Amino acid sequence: MKVIIIGCGYVGLSTGIVLAYIGHEVTLIDRDEEKIAKLRAGELPIYEHGLQEVLRASAGRISFTDDWDSFDTNADAVVIAVGTPIGEGGGVDLTYVRAAVKEIGARVNGNLPVILLKSTVPPGTGREMRALLQQKLAERGMKSKVTLISNPEFLREGQALFDSFYPDRIVAGIDSHEEEAFLTALYQPVLLQDFIPPHGIPRPGNDRLPALFATDLTSAELIKYAANAFLAVKISFINEFANLAESVGADITAVARGIGLDQRIGPQFLQAGIGWGGSCFGKDMRAILHAGKRHQSELPIVRAALEVNQTQRELVAKKLQAKLNSLAGRTIGLLGLAFKPGTDDLRDAPSLDIIRQLVGGGARVKVYDPAAMERLACEHSTLDVECCPTAESLFEGCDAVVLVTEWEEFLHLPYAELGERMREKLLVDGRNVLDQKMLTDAGFTVCSVGRSDTGGGREWLGAVYK
Ligand code: UGA
């Protein structure tokens, strides 16, 4: 099929590259000339595992343009994957979605393409956009019926390709069986899992095929928000219990494991830590709170999860304050800046709040991240931090080091050796991923989230872990 994708952000790029890989002829449109120039030169504007290789493997079936005039009127599908930021009033700003719909309405001819709405939009938007497109066509004297499908995206940054090639489900907000048949054809290789897996992104070792879940337009839109809110609530829930675990002398990693073994609860998204971040959870929860309010639905659980998350980000400064008496004049090193490993994304990253709190308390802050240093310099140049070239150099002269992002390389640092470079051997493990016993044996004082400083609980629970 011929597919046009509007928007070269995370979702647009990943979707476009995957659709091209599975055999479609894809054109990505974005108004950002610089971004398009980069993409044409084979460079990606984002850091995403495997994307470069899959882009290379799809060469010949994918092209990029900033010129709407090259819109192919013979396209079978147009995917809208533009940004939906929070607007001034607190609701979702649909400016880019509307602009895309208007552009489509001004250009399509004859056989209308199927429109897929992938941008995350408040419930009701799909219907509104379908009416807008119909109106634009009517203004041009066209009476053809518009087909608009809500097709929300569930990919995670850092695992965008894995999630796109091997999704649990593809959700389709549709009105007719023809629309379902169209989506089935578009995603057929993914639904049947009969494509050759790209190098470096092997098929998971289960035989489960992704489900195509078809429902009505508005329910599909709400599924997206409900999914993100549920995951964020799950993390805030375990973080709330982490704080209780710490007070009563329990180990939250054992508690998470113990509840996660119940298949109704499941083990995922129960990793306690310094809170969730990223461009989606916070934005989507605020957006659905705003939408809920408009429909007299307060969504107190969603609100509470946001509040718990904000409090969680304050833990690091509080723990350091308690251990060091005062932050003033102290040097604190942050291992990791990105909101999670596998990405250079700093949007709503807990690291940014932590830096502000530490600097506000009078500390000198050193930072290192394997991927996000450049982005920090570009997007947060006003933050008063010292950027370190390596994780090792970060430890030099520190009164404490905080693990903020659980990058793989941080798990294998020579901590015993690096401790010797510090003024005080204090380590805050903000993601509960380091070996507490190894660190305490090396003379570190270790604080984690929801566990006692000695990590005793985990040791005697070792047998149960197996
Ligand atoms: C999230 C959803 O997981 C995707 O399904 C969704 O498509 C995406 O938002 C979106 O709406 O675009 P993403 O933001 O990329 O994906 O990241 P996640 O892997 O979900 O992690 C979000 C945050 O939660 C990270 O800061 C991570 O460190 C934190 N987290 C995750 C925890 O603190 N504990 C956990 O157990 C899991």
Side-chain angles (χ1 to χ4, degrees):
M1 287 189 197
K2 280 187 174 182
V3 182
I4 295 174
I5 309 231
I6 305 170
C8 286
Y10 261 104
V11 171
L13 268 177
S14 309
T15 307
I17 291 172
V18 167
L19 288 178
Y21 183 86
I22 61 172
H24 298 299
E25 199 183 308
V26 177
T27 306
L28 281 120
I29 304 184
D30 198 295
R31 286 215 178 279
D32 187 334
E33 290 174 23
E34 205 179 312
K35 203 186 254 186
I36 293 299
K38 263 188 164 186
L39 284 163
R40 279 184 171 155
E43 272 177 62
L44 284 168
I46 53 168
Y47 173 93
E48 183 62 44
H49 169 70
L51 209 54
Q52 192 80 58
E53 292 75 6
V54 181
L55 174 59
R56 240 178 264 132
S58 314
R61 284 192 301 275
I62 190 161
S63 60
F64 303 93
T65 181
D66 53 23
D67 180 12
W68 269 98
D69 287 339
S70 57
F71 186 93
D72 185 348
T73 49
N74 290 318
D76 300 288
V78 180
V79 180
I80 300 177
V82 294
T84 48
I86 296 284
E88 274 180 17
V92 174
D93 178 357
L94 292 171
T95 307
Y96 303 119
V97 177
R98 281 201 192 94
V101 168
K102 285 179 189 164
E103 291 282 7
I104 298 168
R107 284 157 213 279
V108 288
N109 252 324
N111 280 342
L112 291 187
V114 172
I115 313 297
L116 265 67
L117 189 47
K118 254 197 192 299
S119 303
T120 301
V121 290
T125 306
R127 290 190 195 290
E128 188 190 325
M129 293 307 133
R130 189 163 55 191
L132 176 63
L133 186 52
Q134 200 75 66
Q135 178 202 326
K136 289 290 145 197
L137 296 186
E139 283 167 15
R140 291 173 58 210
M142 291 171 68
K143 292 204 175 79
S144 343
K145 188 171 167 283
V146 167
T147 308
L148 187 144
I149 299 176
S150 165
N151 181 211
E153 191 47 68
F154 302 101
L155 59 83
R156 291 162 293 177
E157 283 184 36
Q159 273 149 302
L161 288 178
F162 181 91
D163 290 345
S164 304
F165 281 120
Y166 316 114
D168 289 338
R169 79 300 205 191
I170 291 171
V171 170
I174 54 168
D175 265 349
S176 68
H177 289 302
E178 288 75 40
E179 290 172 11
E180 186 175 351
F182 179 86
L183 266 194
T184 307
L186 181 70
Y187 288 114
Q188 192 177 42
V190 173
L191 291 167
L192 297 179
Q193 287 294 306
D194 60 0
F195 61 88
I196 297 170
H199 181 70
I201 309 174
R203 186 168 280 131
N206 57 39
D207 294 331
R208 223 185 25 181
L209 292 177
L212 176 68
F213 179 67
T215 180
D216 66 278
L217 208 61
T218 308
S219 300
E221 292 167 335
L222 193 54
I223 285 171
K224 169 69 192 188
Y225 284 101
N228 270 1
F230 190 85
L231 293 171
V233 165
K234 205 171 173 191
I235 304 167
S236 282
F237 176 87
I238 203 68
N239 281 338
E240 188 168 273
F241 268 74
N243 300 333
L244 176 63
E246 220 167 290
S247 307
V248 300
D251 179 340
I252 196 62
T253 53
V255 175
R257 182 77 176 207
I259 62 170
L261 285 167
D262 183 330
Q263 288 187 30
R264 293 169 303 171
I265 296 173
Q268 295 190 52
F269 276 68
L270 285 179
Q271 192 184 334
I274 50 176
W276 43 262
S279 66
C280 306
F281 280 1
K283 174 174 89 80
D284 290 354
M285 287 169 84
R286 285 188 182 90
I288 202 63
L289 278 173
H290 190 271
K293 216 168 197 168
R294 280 182 39 222
H295 296 275
Q296 290 75 49
S297 204
E298 289 295 329
L299 305 177
I301 294 176
V302 175
R303 187 177 299 285
L306 265 170
E307 283 165 12
V308 168
N309 195 52
Q310 193 51 45
T311 317
Q312 209 64 14
R313 291 178 177 199
E314 290 156 19
L315 275 187
V316 169
K318 280 192 187 140
K319 282 178 188 268
L320 288 174
Q321 184 93 39
K323 291 282 177 200
L324 298 170
N325 294 322
S326 165
L327 292 173
R330 298 294 195 166
T331 301
I332 315 290
L334 299 192
L335 277 177
L337 294 164
F339 81 97
K340 65 173 187 177
T343 174
D344 64 347
D345 200 336
L346 290 170
R347 285 176 290 176
D348 199 21
S351 62
L352 302 175
D353 274 350
I354 294 170
I355 291 171
R356 287 188 201 100
Q357 288 153 17
L358 297 179
V359 172
R364 172 175 162 239
V365 179
K366 298 174 77 175
V367 297
Y368 170 74
D369 187 285
M373 300 299 276
E374 214 174 298
R375 215 170 257 280
L376 184 81
C378 294
E379 295 172 4
H380 301 278
S381 55
T382 53
L383 280 182
D384 186 12
V385 292
E386 180 186 329
C387 294
C388 298
T390 59
E392 285 79 4
S393 60
L394 178 104
F395 284 73
E396 206 68 57
C398 279
D399 293 291
V401 166
V402 184
L403 187 140
V404 175
T405 315
E406 66 275 36
W407 285 97
E408 176 77 20
E409 69 170 78
F410 297 160
L411 309 188
H412 312 293
L413 291 174
Y415 284 99
E417 204 180 293
L418 294 174
E420 300 308 319
R421 303 195 194 181
M422 298 175 70
R423 271 211 298 246
E424 290 200 31
K425 287 189 185 179
L426 175 58
L427 218 145
V428 179
D429 179 1
R431 297 290 176 185
N432 289 351
V433 288
L434 297 176
D435 182 341
Q436 253 175 310
K437 184 169 181 319
M438 174 274 289
L439 290 168
T440 41
D441 286 352
F444 279 94
T445 299
V446 187
C447 306
S448 41
V449 182
R451 298 191 290 180
S452 74
D453 290 0
T454 55
R458 189 165 192 165
E459 265 172 69
W460 62 259
L461 278 167
V464 183
Y465 271 69
K466 286 166 204 146

